[in-house]
Amino acid sequence: MPFEVWHIHHTVYCIFFEFSKKKQHFMGGYMSKVFLKGVLTAFLGAVLTCGSAFAADTIKIGVPGAHSGELASYGLPTLNAVNLVADEYNAKGGILGKQVEVIAFDDACKAEIATNAATKLISDGVVGVIGHICSPAGKAAMPLYNNAKVISISGSITSPAMTLSGENPYFFRTVANDTASAIVGAGYVINNLKAKKVAILHDNSEYGKGYAEQAADYLKKNSDIEIVLFEAITPGAADYSSVIRKVRRVDADVLMWGGYYPEASKLLSNMNSLDAVIPMIGPDGLKDLGFVELAGADAENVYASGPTDTSSNPVSKYYAEKHMAKYGSTPGAFFDNAVSAALALMNAIEKAGTTDSAKVIDALHKEEIETAVGSIHFDEHGDAVGVGMSIYQIQNGQYVEMK
């Protein structure tokens, strides 16, 4: 008899057997209402008893993120990274004698879908997730993971509050947060672009507004630069000509953008058509080749912060080659950070000798591991110690790290 059929038959028999034992207890003259309550209790107890006999035969790791749509270029590299690390572990016998099973869920980087993703992954029995990709999605999902004691490690969520608020003990990340991104960007505006007047626009999201506010704060405290415009735009609008006219009117030297690249590409198009050609600099939401493809020539010379280049790192090179062999392309945004997150989680489970979240978390804090972003461990907040942030400029359609 095939295992799957045997599993079903045995489970049904087990539930029937456990229920029968409980039923005998309740058939001694109880009132019908009490009896029905006992039936339900007995049935649930039987399910739990039998379910424990069939503990998960794989170690399930969820990968929620944008796997389709305009932000898929952020999410798919993470899914590919986790699959590659899982393949590597499985080829060597898995973890704790079990194969690693990757369960993907497309949340489109939207908070309302992310909660569905978390609910589904938790019900599927994941021991941890690598994701989410975007800060709003991660913020929405984390209360569910916290309640279920499911560890989440993101290679791209940069909202400082996700770790520093103390509200998410099961959240970790392998990327520097928005504070680091904003400081690097604002520092470059001060020391390299030598700006006198700066306009700051953002998309009013936690991610974009957070970057904009952090950058503005750093500029005010560390320079005499005048912030001549600080304004939110409405994502999804077809045209941003009106706000670009404001940027031109206030005679800004530099435009700092807090948000993702779909809106940045529209802003750049309007800047060029209205002859408001000044440098744009933004967060890691601009550091993706999807931006270059979407904006075309308008993206040339734009600056973006992003994880420090680790392409010469042996682990990074190894998994880049694996990616090319399996997917036929070079890795995309946050691939190294996602590889590092997957390696960190699987190593911690292995070192802990269990999937018990408390013991795995202890291992994440204590165990130093060589990853695609370098040798890291996690501090008391859940931030990876050993990751860096740099400024890149788009030159001839490629991101060049600025030294």
Side-chain angles (χ1 to χ4, degrees):
M1 181 183 293
F3 175 77
E4 291 82 0
V5 177
W6 177 85
H7 186 169
I8 293 170
H9 277 245
H10 189 85
T11 302
V12 171
Y13 172 78
C14 181
I15 290 173
F16 176 78
F17 178 73
E18 291 292 326
F19 173 68
S20 296
K21 290 192 297 182
K22 303 292 191 301
K23 179 182 176 184
Q24 292 173 13
H25 173 72
F26 292 111
M27 291 300 288
Y30 281 89
M31 296 295 290
S32 59
K33 186 175 180 180
V34 177
F35 171 70
L36 288 174
K37 183 178 179 182
V39 168
L40 290 173
T41 304
F43 180 76
L44 290 172
V47 171
L48 292 173
T49 301
C50 298
S52 65
F54 294 98
D57 55 359
T58 60
I59 289 180
K60 297 177 181 179
I61 295 178
V63 187
H67 301 155
S68 63
E70 61 185 10
L71 296 179
S73 58
Y74 291 124
L76 289 176
T78 289
L79 179 58
N80 293 348
V82 180
N83 278 323
L84 289 171
V85 175
D87 288 347
E88 192 77 9
Y89 266 89
N90 288 338
K92 296 176 181 177
I95 304 174
L96 308 182
K98 299 179 180 181
Q99 293 285 284
V100 178
E101 179 183 354
V102 177
I103 303 176
F105 196 108
D106 185 357
D107 69 8
C109 269
K110 294 181 178 179
E112 62 272 21
I113 303 177
T115 54
N116 295 336
T119 301
K120 178 63 166 61
L121 292 172
I122 291 167
S123 70
D124 284 345
V126 299
V127 301
V129 300
I130 304 301
H132 295 237
I133 303 302
C134 304
S135 295
K139 182 180 179 181
M142 275 315 301
L144 296 168
Y145 295 135
N146 289 334
N147 187 58
K149 299 182 179 180
V150 170
I151 296 166
S152 168
I153 308 181
S154 175
S156 56
I157 286 180
T158 51
S159 170
M162 287 293 286
T163 52
L164 301 181
S165 68
E167 296 175 356
N168 300 309
Y170 293 90
F171 179 77
F172 297 78
R173 60 174 150 219
T174 54
V175 64
N177 65 33
D178 284 337
T179 300
S181 179
I183 288 173
V184 167
Y188 198 83
V189 169
I190 296 169
N191 300 315
N192 299 81
L193 300 182
K194 309 290 185 183
K196 302 297 183 185
K197 297 180 179 181
V198 173
I200 301 177
L201 302 178
H202 62 86
D203 63 2
N204 215 27
S205 68
E206 181 178 4
Y207 168 72
K209 186 178 181 181
Y211 172 87
E213 290 176 340
Q214 293 278 355
D217 186 58
Y218 188 86
L219 290 175
K220 290 174 183 176
K221 291 179 178 177
N222 294 278
S223 75
D224 295 324
I225 292 175
E226 182 183 0
I227 299 174
V228 292
L229 181 67
F230 188 98
E231 189 167 317
I233 66 168
T234 302
D239 184 86
Y240 296 113
S241 297
S242 60
V243 74
I244 294 303
R245 289 192 181 92
K246 290 183 182 179
V247 172
R248 189 176 62 179
R249 195 157 51 242
V250 296
D251 196 28
D253 302 320
V254 173
L255 171 61
M256 296 196 76
W257 163 245
Y260 296 102
Y261 71 74
E263 273 61 52
S265 65
K266 297 175 189 176
L267 289 166
L268 287 165
S269 177
N270 291 150
M271 288 168 70
N272 286 320
S273 64
L274 294 172
D275 197 29
V277 184
I278 58 175
M280 174 187 278
I281 185 167
D284 48 19
L286 302 187
K287 192 183 178 298
D288 183 89
L289 287 174
F291 174 40
V292 178
E293 294 172 5
L294 182 62
D298 290 341
E300 195 69 9
N301 297 318
V302 169
Y303 297 93
S305 57
T308 299
D309 181 25
T310 56
S311 58
S312 61
N313 175 302
V315 180
S316 174
K317 291 171 70 174
Y318 176 80
Y319 280 100
E321 291 168 1
K322 289 285 186 182
H323 190 281
M324 178 61 75
K326 182 168 183 175
Y327 299 106
S329 63
T330 55
F334 301 108
F335 175 79
D336 281 347
N337 303 82
V339 165
S340 302
L343 287 172
L345 178 59
M346 295 184 205
N347 176 72
I349 294 171
E350 196 168 49
K351 294 294 185 182
T354 176
T355 57
D356 177 77
S357 56
K359 293 180 180 178
V360 174
I361 285 174
D362 188 56
L364 285 169
H365 288 303
K366 292 180 178 178
E367 295 290 336
E368 192 83 13
I369 179 173
E370 293 297 329
T371 74
V373 297
S375 180
I376 65 169
H377 67 275
F378 296 90
D379 66 16
E380 68 275 17
H381 303 295
D383 286 307
V385 177
V387 298
M389 187 70 71
S390 298
I391 290 293
Y392 294 81
Q393 186 182 38
I394 300 172
Q395 299 177 7
N396 299 315
Q398 299 295 320
Y399 288 90
V400 177
E401 188 174 17
M402 308 305 288
K403 302 298 184 181

